[in-house]
Amino acid sequence: MADGIKFLQDNFGQCGRPNVAWQIDVFGHSREQTALFALMGMDGVFFARLQSLERLVRLQEKRMEGVWQGSTSLGSKADLFFGAFYDHYSPPKGYCFDAFCVDPPIQDDRDLFDYNVDERVDGFLKIVSEQAQHFQTNHIMLLMGDDFEYENANEWFKNLDKLIKYVNEKENSTNVHVLYSTPACYLLSLNQANKTWTTKKEDFMPIGSPHNFWTGFYSSRPALKQYVRETSRVLQTCKQLEGLAGIPQKSTFLKDAMGIVQHHDAITGTERQHVADDYAKRLAMGTKQCQSVMVDVISQWMVKNKMAPTPELEFCNYLNISACPLSESTDSFSVTLYNSLAYNVTDYVSIPVTRGQYVVTGPHGDEIEHQMLEVSSQTKKVRGDKGKATHQVIFPVTIPAVGFSVYKFTPGNKSNQTDKIHNAINAKQNTPSDNNDIGIQNEYMSLLFDGTTGLLKSVHNSVSEVSLPVQQSFYWYNSSTNSNHYIFTPYNNNPFPLFSGSVNLKIVKGNLVEEVHQEFTPWLSQVIRLYKGQQHAEFEWTVGPIPFKDGLSKEIITRFDTSLKTKKMFYTDSNGRQIMERRRDHRESFPYIQTDPVAANYYPINSRIYIKDNDVQLTVLTDRSHGGSSIKDGSMEVMIHRRLLSVAENSVNEALNETGQYGDGLIVRGKHYVILETPQNSAKLHRPLATQIYASPTVMLSKVTNEWKSSYNTEYSSLTNTLPVNVNLLTLEPWNNNTLLLRLEHIFEEKEDQNLSLPVTVSLKNLFKAFDIIGIEETTLDGNLLKKDAKRLHWKQETNDRHKDPVLHGPINDDMQITLNPMEIRTFWLTVQRKT
């Protein structure tokens, strides 16, 4: 959005800046997106698609237009006017004038037998009169176009000119005046009508009609969805390093590719396969360019002896399947980790290797405890010939804010290692016996597994002393022929289990991580991990190739069943930011009639879903966008893969049957992160964790030389101070000349946490080591308009039951102190003077 608006302003001037969002073909509309549009300075959003029953009710009650309250935390500055189209985004029936339209043109030559002006005008006026009955003002919008229209623009405008002329000739008798207009002009007319408008708080999703709900695309093409998430992280890191180093931008290609993949038939997974391949290829090309930026900047930062050559950093792009050519072929190597967050991060890293013993040395020369694990048979099966590692080394890392740490691997043996290191290397493996329950634990959590079924049985938080019976397993819905890239329509409301009686189970325990390996079917497995010092459990699942020879389309879910009394309530995020309360079989804006107990209750999950009662909350965070729901009380499910064999009507004329690199079906691997806590203490865990999942450390490897210690820095932060954990350095990138664009985000909503939901103040003065800030101006969220120049329309609202708005910010003082209210994103132009 920011780059698109910048392009318009750079090429068409300030008058080219849009103040209305035009989302005619998007498959639903989230509350958070509304807030983001408002923070960009926009006045309204118009769209075509909404649930069929909601459209009917809104038409009857003249509520097709109103004020959308985009955020409880942000108050009125996140309000945005919305307008839903009368029907679709097509022209009125009978008034399409393009090359492939079959409607008769307007013939105004009376000497010809097909003269039809009176007939065409009367028909048009009837359409206008019918539509006007469903809107509040005497202004209505007619859409004159559609997909693939204006191939013959002359034919369109010639007929529209005639239509306008002859309708307006009857204005005195009909009170109808027609004119060419724009969304912005139409919106201004509505504002000047001085009406009082109804309000809305929830999403316009899911959309659809009975047995035709558009909730399948939430999960379509899960590998592409993860790749978009991963390359988005790469892009943000790349732009940050360009801004810090002041180097020419190489991120433009990935920016463009990322912009293209935001198309409503791209990230959604609703494109054909060759188009999806093209999107992925463009992202890969852009990623390669951005990786060269990371190597150039970080390797320069590493050099402390100017006579030394820059280290040759490399990326291992297949670490998720334990494949890395350098670590597999070299005895001594370094691992460089970059953290783009503005506070220190502690995490675990896994490096694939082929030898048995290593000494791992930290940035300060201290020996690092680590654990050696065998590469699982499932991983070997997934990676094929892409790697030969037999083991992976797990070790803890601490990375400074907006900086890097270097860890060195050298050959070791049992005799030269301390007992602490030696004990950590030899992880114990066993399988349950005698049907006894078995568990794994760390200092924060313990997970118990049923000795008979092999499934998760319960979760315990040993700090909060919260326990919950939890069964987690995998299931599949048999899709109807109506399911497609967009739509999810199962034949049955009850999914089939993907295990018969018990799952194969293996337990691996070491000093740093304890694991449970589960094999549900030959094509579905899972590893559940508890790392030392972490307050969440990691569930890594591998799904595929989904069997197809039985001719059945399958939609795969993971499901957590608990004893929580949730009273139909569950919660999902909105665009990774605010949390939306969901209620099964209910809609805020209209009386809901249930026709699809499963599909109509699915919602998008961008970063997390949770269920809770008064005492306990179970939260699942994701590494990509999914669809999910709570179909019964105490339960929540997430769809992780889809394979559809039929070509449904109104689809893309191709089955959603991804065959993967080997042609037998796509294999998908992903991670979910599970937190058990009290509702009062959950946000302070899941909020920072969601940020850290998205902005996970960048991993690079290099060969180690004898002069390594004397030649290279092994730790560096580009900040003089760290920022609080509730403040996210959302953006730092080059903008114009010596100007950088900076965004700071408060990641908590109001009242989520007793301390972390409070307003927070940070100082930008002397924060960055690379430059001094000599000028600062606040802009709208998109970074293209000074905030003081943003003038938004104000609307009268029927209901405004919110508490008063957050306190407005005053001018920025000499200390450059910036205060952020809950959920607030503040955007600035920084004029900088670089240090030599």
Side-chain angles (χ1 to χ4, degrees):
M1 285 291 293
D3 285 322
I5 294 173
K6 188 174 188 295
F7 171 84
L8 293 173
Q9 287 189 193
D10 289 347
N11 287 275
F12 300 102
Q14 192 60 39
C15 63
R17 177 186 175 83
N19 64 344
V20 176
W22 188 248
Q23 293 205 312
I24 59 174
D25 198 21
V26 178
F27 318 138
H29 313 276
S30 71
R31 189 188 194 198
E32 180 60 33
Q33 186 65 55
T34 299
L36 297 177
F37 284 148
L39 295 177
M40 292 178 190
M42 293 192 177
D43 290 313
V45 57
F46 291 99
F47 51 84
R49 299 188 186 276
L50 68 164
Q51 191 170 331
S52 59
L53 181 56
E54 181 170 13
R55 180 186 298 279
L56 179 62
V57 172
R58 287 186 174 276
L59 285 170
Q60 291 173 345
E61 298 177 357
K62 295 188 176 182
R63 292 194 293 123
M64 295 296 284
E65 297 164 333
V67 176
W68 201 346
Q69 296 177 347
S71 170
T72 303
S73 296
L74 296 175
S76 61
K77 71 178 183 180
D79 291 353
L80 194 75
F81 191 89
F82 74 87
F85 300 154
Y86 174 65
D87 188 9
H88 194 50
Y89 54 82
S90 305
K93 186 176 181 180
Y95 292 84
C96 179
F97 302 114
D98 210 349
F100 298 103
C101 298
V102 296
D103 301 332
I106 297 174
Q107 178 56 264
D108 57 352
D109 187 341
R110 292 181 178 273
D111 292 333
L112 298 178
F113 294 119
D114 58 348
Y115 172 83
N116 62 1
V117 169
D118 295 336
E119 174 189 345
R120 301 294 274 149
V121 167
D122 290 345
F124 183 79
L125 290 171
K126 184 178 179 180
I127 290 170
V128 169
S129 176
E130 166 60 26
Q131 181 170 334
Q133 295 177 34
H134 302 284
F135 289 80
Q136 285 205 48
T137 76
N138 60 349
H139 301 279
I140 63 172
M141 180 192 296
L142 297 171
L143 286 302
M144 289 295 178
D146 206 328
D147 295 333
F148 315 113
E149 294 288 340
Y150 289 83
E151 294 187 15
N152 188 344
N154 179 65
E155 189 69 18
W156 257 113
F157 286 109
K158 180 173 68 175
N159 281 278
L160 290 178
D161 287 345
K162 292 179 180 180
L163 185 63
I164 291 171
K165 174 184 175 181
Y166 294 117
V167 169
N168 289 345
E169 284 182 356
K170 293 187 173 184
E171 181 178 353
N172 290 337
S173 60
T174 63
N175 290 323
V176 173
H177 179 80
V178 186
L179 71 157
Y180 287 114
S181 188
T182 66
C185 291
Y186 175 69
L187 185 65
L188 181 60
S189 296
L190 297 181
N191 185 260
Q192 291 172 342
N194 200 30
K195 290 282 187 179
T196 299
W197 301 91
T198 59
T199 61
K200 181 180 175 67
K201 292 181 181 178
E202 66 174 13
D203 298 330
F204 280 103
M205 59 174 59
I207 66 166
S209 55
H211 315 304
N212 196 47
F213 275 89
W214 292 45
T215 53
F217 78 88
Y218 300 157
S219 306
S220 295
R221 302 197 188 278
L224 178 63
K225 282 180 165 60
Q226 195 281 331
Y227 194 48
V228 171
R229 183 72 56 89
E230 168 65 16
T231 51
S232 176
R233 180 193 63 80
V234 171
L235 176 59
Q236 297 307 317
T237 302
C238 182
K239 294 190 297 182
Q240 184 181 97
L241 291 170
E242 289 174 337
L244 290 168
I247 59 176
Q249 294 185 58
K250 292 185 180 180
S251 60
T252 303
F253 190 95
L254 186 53
K255 277 186 187 179
D256 292 345
M258 188 60 63
I260 292 171
V261 83
Q262 300 312 307
H263 187 274
H264 64 270
D265 276 319
I267 180 61
T268 53
T270 55
E271 65 278 78
R272 299 184 74 178
Q273 186 62 55
H274 71 279
V275 181
D277 293 342
D278 183 77
Y279 290 139
K281 182 176 182 179
R282 292 176 183 276
L283 292 173
M285 293 168 64
T287 294
K288 187 174 182 179
Q289 293 186 19
C290 270
Q291 286 179 338
S292 71
V293 171
M294 299 179 200
V295 168
D296 290 345
V297 174
I298 295 174
S299 61
Q300 288 293 333
W301 284 351
M302 289 178 67
V303 174
K304 65 179 179 181
N305 179 354
K306 293 185 179 180
M307 300 299 294
T310 56
E312 297 180 0
L313 301 176
E314 298 181 14
F315 284 86
C316 294
N317 294 320
Y318 295 105
L319 285 177
N320 68 323
I321 54 172
S322 298
C324 178
L326 193 151
S327 64
E328 293 171 13
S329 59
T330 306
D331 285 341
S332 298
F333 57 90
S334 70
V335 178
T336 301
L337 302 142
Y338 181 76
N339 168 31
S340 64
L341 297 174
Y343 50 84
N344 301 339
V345 166
T346 299
D347 203 349
Y348 283 86
V349 174
S350 174
I351 300 297
V353 295
T354 54
R355 60 174 289 122
Q357 302 290 336
Y358 283 93
V359 174
V360 181
T361 306
H364 306 292
D366 51 324
E367 200 168 340
I368 302 299
E369 183 178 11
H370 59 281
Q371 183 173 323
M372 188 83 73
L373 295 173
E374 289 184 1
V375 174
S376 68
S377 58
Q378 290 88 351
T379 294
K380 292 177 181 178
K381 178 182 176 182
V382 169
R383 75 184 181 196
D385 59 359
K386 281 188 165 53
K388 59 182 180 180
T390 57
H391 291 78
Q392 49 188 341
V393 180
I394 310 291
F395 63 104
V397 299
T398 299
I399 318 167
V402 192
F404 68 84
S405 293
V406 181
Y407 292 78
K408 188 169 67 171
F409 280 59
T410 53
N413 54 62
K414 295 181 181 179
S415 62
N416 67 5
Q417 294 180 353
T418 66
D419 289 341
K420 182 178 180 182
I421 307 299
H422 171 61
N423 290 338
I425 288 176
N426 296 304
K428 299 178 181 179
Q429 300 187 19
N430 56 58
T431 56
S433 59
D434 301 325
N435 295 330
N436 293 325
D437 294 346
I438 192 167
I440 58 175
Q441 65 181 16
N442 64 13
E443 62 268 48
Y444 293 104
M445 296 182 71
S446 61
L447 278 64
L448 187 66
F449 294 82
D450 189 286
T452 301
T453 66
L455 299 178
L456 178 65
K457 185 175 183 178
S458 67
V459 180
H460 176 69
N461 184 320
S462 54
V463 176
S464 299
E465 289 299 326
V466 172
S467 295
L468 183 68
V470 182
Q471 178 178 290
Q472 182 269 338
S473 189
F474 296 89
Y475 302 81
W476 66 282
Y477 288 103
N478 181 13
S479 307
S480 75
T481 55
N482 199 38
S483 282
N484 59 34
H485 301 64
Y486 307 90
I487 294 167
F488 169 41
T489 308
Y491 272 124
N492 301 302
N493 296 326
N494 296 314
F496 300 99
L498 276 166
F499 72 100
S500 54
S502 64
V503 300
N504 294 328
L505 201 67
K506 181 175 75 173
I507 309 296
V508 180
K509 292 190 176 184
N511 283 11
L512 296 180
V513 60
E514 297 191 357
E515 296 183 338
V516 173
H517 294 243
Q518 298 170 308
E519 183 178 307
F520 291 80
T521 72
W523 54 271
L524 195 159
S525 62
Q526 181 172 251
V527 181
I528 302 174
R529 301 184 178 97
L530 278 179
Y531 288 98
K532 180 180 178 181
Q534 292 191 345
Q535 294 176 268
H536 61 270
E538 178 184 286
F539 287 60
E540 183 181 64
W541 41 266
T542 304
V543 182
I546 298 175
F548 65 96
K549 292 184 179 180
D550 57 5
L552 301 178
S553 296
K554 300 177 180 68
E555 322 228 18
I556 313 301
I557 64 168
T558 176
R559 194 174 78 192
F560 295 79
D561 294 314
T562 77
S563 59
L564 291 175
K565 307 300 181 184
T566 52
K567 300 178 181 178
K568 294 189 173 183
M569 308 299 291
F570 62 105
Y571 303 80
T572 66
D573 69 284
S574 182
N575 296 69
R577 283 181 33 88
Q578 62 181 298
I579 300 298
M580 301 296 294
E581 180 181 88
R582 312 295 190 186
R583 182 179 172 188
R584 190 168 63 253
D585 300 336
H586 174 79
R587 301 293 187 269
E588 171 202 49
S589 302
F590 58 97
Y592 185 67
I593 300 174
Q594 180 56 274
T595 58
D596 299 67
V598 176
N601 282 307
Y602 257 59
Y603 289 89
I605 303 167
N606 298 117
S607 65
R608 77 211 79 174
I609 179 173
Y610 62 80
I611 53 177
K612 65 177 183 177
D613 60 16
N614 292 332
D615 302 313
V616 181
Q617 178 172 316
L618 184 67
T619 306
V620 177
L621 295 98
T622 67
D623 65 351
R624 72 199 71 194
S625 294
H626 299 284
S629 186
S630 174
I631 303 302
K632 61 181 181 179
D633 281 2
S635 175
M636 58 180 166
E637 63 186 55
V638 180
M639 185 177 291
I640 55 177
H641 203 349
R642 313 179 75 206
R643 190 172 193 178
L644 311 180
L645 305 180
S646 60
V647 180
E649 186 179 356
N650 299 323
S651 67
V652 296
N653 296 319
E654 181 181 277
L656 182 59
N657 181 20
E658 298 180 276
T659 55
Q661 61 178 328
Y662 301 118
D664 56 349
L666 179 68
I667 302 173
V668 179
R669 171 168 285 181
K671 292 181 180 180
H672 291 161
Y673 306 82
V674 176
I675 297 171
L676 181 73
E677 249 297 356
T678 63
Q680 296 77 17
N681 291 326
S682 287
K684 71 180 180 183
L685 297 181
H686 71 68
R687 283 287 181 185
L689 180 57
T691 303
Q692 292 168 26
I693 292 170
Y694 175 77
S696 59
T698 298
V699 182
M700 294 163 284
L701 277 74
S702 175
K703 294 181 180 179
V704 171
T705 62
N706 293 331
E707 300 80 20
W708 185 266
K709 185 175 180 180
S710 61
S711 300
Y712 303 113
N713 297 308
T714 54
E715 190 172 74
Y716 175 76
S717 172
S718 61
L719 302 184
T720 59
N721 295 295
T722 61
L723 298 185
V725 71
N726 55 353
V727 175
N728 182 26
L729 177 59
L730 189 62
T731 306
L732 180 68
E733 64 175 292
W735 204 240
N736 292 313
N737 300 322
N738 288 325
T739 303
L740 301 178
L741 187 71
L742 172 74
R743 291 190 186 95
L744 297 176
E745 174 192 25
H746 195 311
I747 67 170
F748 280 75
E749 290 189 78
E750 64 174 12
K751 301 179 180 179
E752 271 191 321
D753 185 82
Q754 185 176 358
N755 298 312
L756 295 172
S757 288
L758 298 175
V760 58
T761 299
V762 299
S763 175
L764 299 181
K765 189 173 183 179
N766 302 321
L767 178 63
F768 297 96
K769 295 178 180 178
F771 51 78
D772 291 319
I773 301 172
I774 59 176
I776 180 169
E777 295 180 284
E778 187 164 6
T779 73
T780 52
L781 178 63
D782 61 284
N784 293 288
L785 180 66
L786 289 174
K787 192 170 182 179
K788 64 182 178 64
D789 296 333
K791 310 297 181 185
R792 297 181 65 225
L793 299 176
H794 297 281
W795 305 87
K796 293 181 179 179
Q797 303 179 28
E798 275 190 7
T799 58
N800 190 350
D801 55 358
R802 298 173 298 197
H803 58 76
K804 62 182 181 181
D805 286 348
V807 177
L808 296 176
H809 303 297
I812 300 171
N813 58 27
D814 292 339
D815 290 335
M816 298 184 188
Q817 291 189 335
I818 307 299
T819 298
L820 296 164
N821 293 314
M823 276 287 102
E824 188 171 26
I825 301 173
R826 296 185 68 182
T827 308
F828 305 93
W829 289 334
L830 304 183
T831 303
V832 303
Q833 183 175 333
R834 297 197 174 272
K835 299 177 182 179
T836 57

